[in-house]
Amino acid sequence: MSSPAERYAAARRRTAHPTLADFTADLGFSLDPFQVEACEALEEGSGVLVCAPTGAGKTVVGEFAVHKALAEGRKAFYTTPIKALSNQKYADLVERYGPTQVGLLTGDNAINGDAPVVVMTTEVLRNMLYAESPAIAGLGYVVMDEVHYLADRFRGAVWEEVIIHLPQSVTLVSLSATVSNAEEFGDWLVTVRGHTKVVVSEVRPVPLWQHMLVGNRVFDLFSLRPAAHAGEQGLTPREQSTRERGASVVDPELVRYVREHERRIDSWHGGGPGSRRGDTSHRPRYRAPSRSDVITRLDNAGLLPAITFVFSRNGCDAAVHQCLLSGLRLTDEAERAEIAEIIDRRTGSLPEEDLHVLGFWEWREGLLAGLAAHHAGLVPAFKETVEECFVRGLVKAVFATETLALGINMPARSVVLERLVKWNGEAHVDVTPGEYTQLTGRAGRRGIDVEGHAVVVWGPGVDPATVAGLASTRTYPLRSSFRPSYNMAVNLVSSFGRARARELLASSFAQFQADRSVVGLARAAAKHEQDAERAAAEMHSDRGDVGAYAELRREIADREKDLSRDSQAKRRIEAAEALAALRPGDVIRVPSGRRQGLAVVLDPGITDLADPRPLVLTEDKWAGRLASIDFPTPVNALARVRVPKNFNHRSPHARRDLAATLRNARVENDLGARRVKHRSAAADDPVLADLRQALRNHPVHQLPDREERVRVAERWLRAVREADALQRKMTERTGSLTRQFDATCDVLEELGYLVPEVAPLVPADTEVMGAVDDVPVVTDDGRRLSRIWSEADLLVAECLRAGAWRGLNPAELAAATSTAVFEARRDNPALPAVPAGKVAAAIGEMRRIRARLHDVEADHGVRVTRDLDLGFAWAAYRWADGQSLDRVLAGAEQAGTELSGGDFVRWARQLIDLLDQLAKVAEEPVAGVARAAVGKIRRGVVAVAVGG
């Protein structure tokens, strides 16, 4: 029961903010303080930036902006980063305001686009702004949900473009996850959007308990429930390391138990007194608790539903399989019936013939048991089914990759982290405090759970203090990824002229951060210069220049590295040429890899564009294609054997007989293992020989304390280089974006997309542009480029202009254009195979165009356009040709690219997007062929995914 004073204060607030009072009357729950603060600022006419943890209810502020727009008779656009979120928010708003008041615009759907409230992806709004769409008229509010996506290195620039280009009459509502530099972001918003209220809440709506699972015991991570559980900062000084922060709050009982556990493991591994280090016969190995044991433990403690982050697609699928094999079942009969109904409803439109290749029956078995995987390798229908079942409490354990930490609202009671190391596409790296916060942010369902739980599974080498430091650190800075693309440059010049475009770029968050960072860089450079001065004094010698001697040693090391790299590249080329010379029946030695040993060539596997991928049979009866990575050195035919005509390498009987012939050839030709020694390139290099002689002749070389002085000199070298690098960074960052923009425009002018002209494009008295003498005219080719939205936008435009795709049929066009869309998850040293004939010729022409483009970009210092990736060409060709999903995925693997069903659907959707654009901007007959290709790709599992 509230007091009279509290009731009076509430009445005053209702009087001061009548629109908010009207909005909250229908909510059915009270707003949190940060929601009230943000909504009141909105009603007072200010823009707002709201930063709050996952699940805190940020979207209520966005929904109030929608309510306010309708109350004022104005429009509201609600933008999200992904289509799934747009669909989800559209459904929410339709439920509140009805279908006539709400529209949806994504790449796949256009529903009621003229409605007063429209939900859309951020790219759609960006395109509307550049096209000066009449739908912008009457726009009062734009809600940018998940605005922290502007840090995304591929798509982040879109958010900044929208923020900069929105009319000043539009009020911006920015909703973000908790970031540590919210004030900096807010300061920038004030400079580009006017008055903006920054509202930061670090209070989790559901308190979070942190735990570690060590063996069979679960420990609290912290000795007490620290303020960090509620999201407050200030536990320890920022200068401390992650481990130092954690050591001050970690549970001492946990630390003692882990130390004892590690001692036992060390003794098992031969570390104990009297043990024999070489004896492994009775040595037990450390085994982490099985996934079914972890889920069972959580279930017994009442901590399900849980999301376990595995950081590996295969690991997620294997986890479900392991739990099923252990007999784990988490559902009752009624729940299984409800899950079956959802499965049938969500996947009923999938083609029957595709279910097997998608692993439908195994996936369904897991779901019925309350278990599921969630990752990008699943087709959308599978992911959406898992999400619905989980939100409704039917699926109790989900094994997911980190992508689940972004996007869809899918909270759990508990979150489990199996490891604190993940693969980032290039290397295995530690999880950062920001990533840890995002992952564990899923724990605790508002309105359902009293508290959430995060569990880290301990393993050898995991330090509880470091984990505690991760859990208590709130550092997740927002960093701009903005840089001018060719499409952006053409659109900016077309709309504003080059001078005004420079001003707009200078107002970006990227330039704002770069200008601020120069102060810190100058401080760091000064420190390195001081270090260099101290080292110079310390290494000084009257007998010679120690610095010059250290430089000589560095030159020698660099030269040796360059020679080694060149030698390896030369051997790779020689190896590819040797492979191209092989004939069926040649006996070769595979020098490395899993297939090491003798093999007989069945098919040389030579294609027009790709490196040879010979089909071979090994002595152990394995048959398959090898890549150039398996041959780091040239391979020679050691002998020949007869390969039967029409030999079927899939027949076990045929493989056995030919493998026996191969083993006989080993004996008859004395083909035992041999090691070939290669003479080092460094041994014959005259430049390296001169450098080494100069080193020996240097007076410092004879000093008795030479090595000690050189170590100091190396410190001096590092300090000098660091200081120089920081000075270059400062120079680059001051006005860096405008320099990039000018260089980008120079490329476009040289290629004929922009032509400098004295006369302005619009009358000089307009507000948009003044009378300037530097306004390039956008050519017809430039106008076409302005409508191509792709990472390889200029390459696509150049291919259209050169006619690289003329004469192709729909399947051939799909294959060729896929190379400008697809990006393999991992680097493939060997070029994947592509369809021969017209496709190979078109891709060859695309590669020549890209090489010419690379030269122009290099001349102007512009970041080069991405290279073509051939990995999806066969899949695109076969699918557009009407072949089955099973054949498409198997053929892609045979051509050198492994695709899951979800991978295939995702890349097919992106290919459809590019072909749709070609249908609108290309001339006939390419435009018509592109339209036909879209129709041929949008079928089966792809049509289900895109709502076609």
Side-chain angles (χ1 to χ4, degrees):
M1 195 70 184
S2 59
S3 67
E6 288 171 334
R7 289 197 297 273
Y8 174 72
R12 286 284 302 271
R13 282 197 300 273
R14 286 195 297 272
T15 304
H17 301 95
T19 309
L20 178 58
D22 180 54
F23 174 71
T24 55
D26 298 329
L27 283 182
F29 58 86
S30 299
L31 296 185
D32 289 340
F34 85 90
Q35 295 168 325
V36 172
E37 183 183 0
C39 291
E40 287 181 350
L42 260 181
E43 186 155 6
E44 291 163 7
S46 173
V48 293
L49 166 64
V50 183
C51 299
T54 301
K58 298 183 290 290
T59 55
V60 167
V61 182
E63 288 165 5
F64 173 63
V66 170
H67 176 87
K68 192 166 185 291
L70 291 173
E72 296 170 356
R74 302 168 77 192
K75 289 182 181 178
F77 288 169
Y78 198 112
T79 72
T80 72
I82 55 178
K83 294 170 186 175
L85 274 178
S86 293
N87 295 336
Q88 194 176 65
K89 183 51 64 178
Y90 170 72
D92 293 343
L93 293 175
V94 164
E95 186 176 352
R96 174 156 187 159
Y97 298 109
T100 59
Q101 294 284 82
V102 185
L104 174 68
L105 292 175
T106 67
D108 302 330
N109 290 302
I111 303 170
N112 199 18
D114 296 325
V117 178
V118 183
V119 183
M120 61 185 70
T121 49
T122 316
E123 280 86 353
V124 169
L125 178 54
R126 186 269 311 271
N127 298 353
M128 290 171 69
L129 288 168
Y130 278 139
E132 299 180 353
S133 168
I136 302 293
L139 181 63
Y141 296 85
V142 166
V143 180
M144 300 195 77
D145 204 353
E146 311 283 355
V147 75
H148 53 271
Y149 261 75
L150 67 77
D152 184 272
R153 69 190 181 101
F154 296 114
R155 302 171 56 211
V158 176
W159 275 255
E160 290 191 52
E161 288 179 86
V162 168
I163 292 170
I164 292 169
H165 296 319
L166 273 175
Q168 286 298 317
S169 59
V170 176
T171 301
L172 185 67
V173 180
S174 305
L175 309 178
S176 170
T178 305
V179 293
S180 54
N181 61 335
E183 290 75 15
E184 179 188 40
F185 187 44
D187 289 346
W188 173 68
L189 286 173
V190 169
T191 65
V192 292
R193 303 298 314 163
H195 188 265
T196 302
K197 175 82 171 180
V198 179
V199 180
V200 178
S201 173
E202 298 201 27
V203 178
R204 284 179 51 90
V206 179
L208 178 64
W209 274 107
Q210 304 271 1
H211 310 279
M212 280 197 79
L213 175 63
V214 187
N216 293 318
R217 290 190 59 182
V218 177
F219 292 87
D220 288 337
L221 182 59
F222 296 103
S223 53
L224 296 171
R225 185 182 298 211
H229 285 199
E232 298 168 18
Q233 292 196 31
L235 275 175
T236 49
R238 270 191 175 180
E239 289 76 17
Q240 289 182 309
S241 69
T242 300
R243 192 190 182 285
E244 288 169 336
R245 279 191 292 272
S248 62
V249 292
V250 69
D251 184 356
E253 184 186 356
L254 167 62
V255 174
R256 282 193 299 271
Y257 188 83
V258 166
R259 283 177 184 160
E260 180 58 34
H261 209 63
E262 286 179 328
R263 272 197 295 269
R264 287 202 298 270
I265 293 171
D266 288 341
S267 68
W268 293 344
H269 286 71
S275 65
R276 290 181 299 166
R277 225 171 243 286
D279 181 13
T280 60
S281 56
H282 301 292
R283 186 184 303 168
R285 296 181 59 197
Y286 170 77
R287 284 187 181 155
S290 71
R291 284 149 172 164
S292 59
D293 286 345
V294 173
I295 298 301
T296 301
R297 183 172 290 277
L298 293 175
D299 190 20
N300 293 339
L303 297 182
L304 295 182
I307 298 171
T308 301
F309 287 106
V310 180
F311 301 135
S312 157
R313 295 181 184 185
N314 291 337
C316 293
D317 295 333
V320 175
H321 184 62
Q322 289 162 13
C323 289
L324 287 173
L325 285 180
S326 72
L328 183 63
R329 301 294 184 270
L330 301 172
T331 52
D332 57 31
E333 190 173 340
E335 289 171 328
R336 285 193 291 275
E338 196 172 345
I339 291 170
E341 183 275 323
I342 295 171
I343 292 172
D344 292 344
R345 171 165 47 83
R346 288 275 187 180
T347 65
S349 54
L350 289 175
E352 190 79 28
E353 63 272 15
D354 292 346
L355 296 182
H356 174 70
V357 69
L358 294 175
F360 172 82
W361 302 108
E362 298 85 348
W363 169 79
R364 185 178 189 275
E365 182 187 2
L367 271 183
L368 292 175
L371 305 160
H374 189 287
H375 54 72
L378 297 174
V379 293
F382 284 15
K383 283 198 291 187
E384 291 162 8
T385 305
V386 171
E387 288 158 9
E388 181 176 348
C389 289
F390 192 77
V391 169
R392 288 170 63 168
L394 300 170
V395 166
K396 313 296 173 58
V398 165
F399 299 91
T401 55
E402 64 179 313
T403 52
L404 184 59
L406 306 168
I408 294 296
N409 181 27
M410 198 171 151
R413 181 168 295 166
S414 304
V415 163
V416 179
L417 274 71
E418 286 195 341
R419 299 178 68 205
L420 295 176
V421 175
K422 63 170 191 170
W423 176 257
N424 68 356
E426 297 175 354
H428 286 94
V429 296
D430 292 333
V431 170
T432 66
E435 289 166 339
Y436 184 92
T437 301
Q438 279 192 314
L439 295 167
T440 56
R442 289 285 175 187
R445 298 165 296 174
R446 187 168 191 172
I448 300 174
D449 299 323
V450 177
E451 57 194 19
H453 297 266
V455 181
V456 174
V457 179
W458 181 85
V462 175
D463 181 5
T466 301
V467 179
L470 281 174
S472 57
T473 303
R474 293 294 178 266
T475 52
Y476 180 47
L478 195 59
R479 296 280 176 245
S480 173
S481 60
F482 186 83
R483 68 179 181 90
S485 66
Y486 294 113
N487 169 281
M488 185 194 302
V490 169
N491 276 297
L492 284 173
V493 171
S494 176
S495 301
F496 306 106
R498 193 158 170 175
R500 173 68 178 135
R502 280 198 202 96
E503 294 174 17
L504 289 170
L505 287 168
S507 67
S508 68
F509 186 45
Q511 193 61 60
F512 186 84
Q513 286 190 311
D515 292 343
R516 281 195 169 189
S517 70
V518 167
V519 177
L521 290 175
R523 193 179 300 120
K527 182 180 180 302
H528 284 300
E529 286 166 0
Q530 291 167 6
D531 292 343
E533 288 173 11
R534 283 194 296 269
E538 192 178 338
M539 72 181 184
H540 176 72
S541 171
D542 296 332
R543 301 269 304 273
D545 187 343
V546 181
Y549 182 79
E551 284 276 19
L552 263 178
R553 286 173 64 146
R554 180 69 63 90
E555 283 183 55
I556 289 170
D558 290 344
R559 181 68 179 175
E560 288 172 341
K561 285 179 187 173
D562 290 343
L563 289 171
S564 175
R565 188 165 53 246
D566 292 346
S567 178
Q568 288 174 3
K570 183 181 177 184
R571 282 202 298 271
R572 278 197 296 270
I573 293 170
E574 290 171 348
E577 290 172 349
L579 287 175
L582 294 177
R583 296 176 298 159
D586 283 346
V587 176
I588 61 173
R589 177 174 288 107
V590 182
S592 59
R594 287 184 301 167
R595 310 303 173 190
Q596 186 173 6
L598 291 184
V600 58
V601 177
L602 306 176
D603 170 25
I606 298 169
T607 62
D608 292 342
L609 286 175
D611 288 342
R613 291 175 53 83
L615 176 65
V616 303
L617 175 75
T618 62
E619 287 181 285
D620 59 2
K621 301 187 288 293
W622 177 85
R625 291 198 180 275
L626 297 176
S628 58
I629 192 173
D630 296 303
F631 299 94
T633 56
V635 62
N636 297 313
L638 306 176
R640 286 189 57 77
V641 297
R642 181 180 170 277
V643 178
K645 192 176 180 181
N646 301 324
F647 177 81
N648 180 8
H649 69 274
R650 292 189 173 86
S651 164
H653 179 75
R655 288 202 305 270
R656 186 184 66 228
D657 289 349
L658 188 56
T661 304
L662 179 60
R663 284 191 292 272
N664 292 335
R666 169 191 283 275
V667 176
E668 291 170 5
N669 296 278
D670 187 24
L671 303 180
R674 292 182 177 85
R675 292 183 61 84
V676 179
K677 290 187 177 180
H678 295 277
R679 182 173 171 83
S680 168
D684 301 319
D685 183 60
V687 175
L688 190 58
D690 290 345
L691 286 171
R692 286 172 173 166
Q693 186 61 46
L695 187 75
R696 286 191 291 270
N697 293 341
H698 199 286
V700 173
H701 196 67
Q702 310 304 325
L703 290 177
D705 59 348
R706 178 188 70 197
E707 292 306 314
E708 185 178 339
R709 289 180 183 274
V710 167
R711 279 195 292 273
V712 177
E714 286 173 346
R715 279 210 325 267
W716 168 78
L717 266 177
R718 281 197 299 272
V720 168
R721 288 189 175 192
E722 287 289 344
D724 289 346
L726 289 170
Q727 291 289 352
R728 284 195 301 273
K729 270 188 180 179
M730 284 190 284
T731 304
E732 289 167 2
R733 291 190 181 184
T734 306
S736 55
L737 278 179
T738 51
R739 282 199 303 276
Q740 288 179 41
F741 173 72
D742 285 339
T744 301
C745 287
D746 290 343
V747 170
L748 293 172
E749 287 180 7
E750 181 171 334
L751 294 174
Y753 293 88
L754 298 176
V755 179
E757 195 173 86
V758 174
L761 292 176
V762 296
D765 58 352
T766 64
E767 185 180 347
V768 174
M769 301 171 49
V772 294
D773 58 4
D774 185 27
V775 182
V777 173
V778 177
T779 65
D780 288 342
D781 288 332
R783 278 186 281 277
R784 179 161 61 192
L785 173 60
S786 73
R787 297 163 62 199
I788 298 172
W789 312 94
S790 164
E791 194 183 345
D793 46 13
L794 185 54
L795 176 60
V796 171
E798 285 285 277
C799 289
L800 284 173
R801 184 162 65 176
W805 299 323
R806 284 184 173 273
L808 301 181
N809 65 32
E812 292 164 344
L813 180 63
T817 53
S818 75
T819 62
V821 173
F822 180 72
E823 282 188 79
R825 291 179 67 214
R826 293 181 179 85
D827 287 339
N828 188 352
L831 280 175
V834 299
K838 288 185 177 181
V839 173
I843 293 174
E845 178 62 17
M846 291 173 70
R847 295 181 80 177
R848 286 187 285 275
I849 292 169
R850 195 259 173 191
R852 291 196 297 270
L853 182 56
H854 178 284
D855 292 341
V856 175
E857 290 170 325
D859 288 344
H860 292 282
V862 173
R863 186 186 298 185
V864 297
T865 296
R866 54 156 283 182
D867 203 354
L868 301 178
D869 193 318
L870 315 186
F872 198 65
W874 260 119
Y877 180 85
R878 285 193 165 105
W879 185 253
D881 193 43
Q883 297 182 30
S884 69
L885 182 63
D886 194 4
R887 284 202 64 188
V888 167
L889 298 185
E893 184 174 4
Q894 189 176 13
T897 303
E898 188 174 340
L899 295 169
S900 70
D903 291 328
F904 171 74
V905 169
R906 184 170 67 259
W907 291 115
R909 290 169 69 167
Q910 293 198 30
L911 179 55
I912 285 174
D913 183 55
L914 177 57
L915 288 167
D916 260 333
Q917 294 180 49
L918 294 184
K920 294 169 186 170
V921 303
E923 298 174 351
E924 296 296 345
V926 175
V929 176
R931 279 190 294 273
V934 169
K936 289 181 177 296
I937 296 171
R938 189 180 276 139
R939 65 179 179 88
V941 66
V942 177
V944 173
V946 301

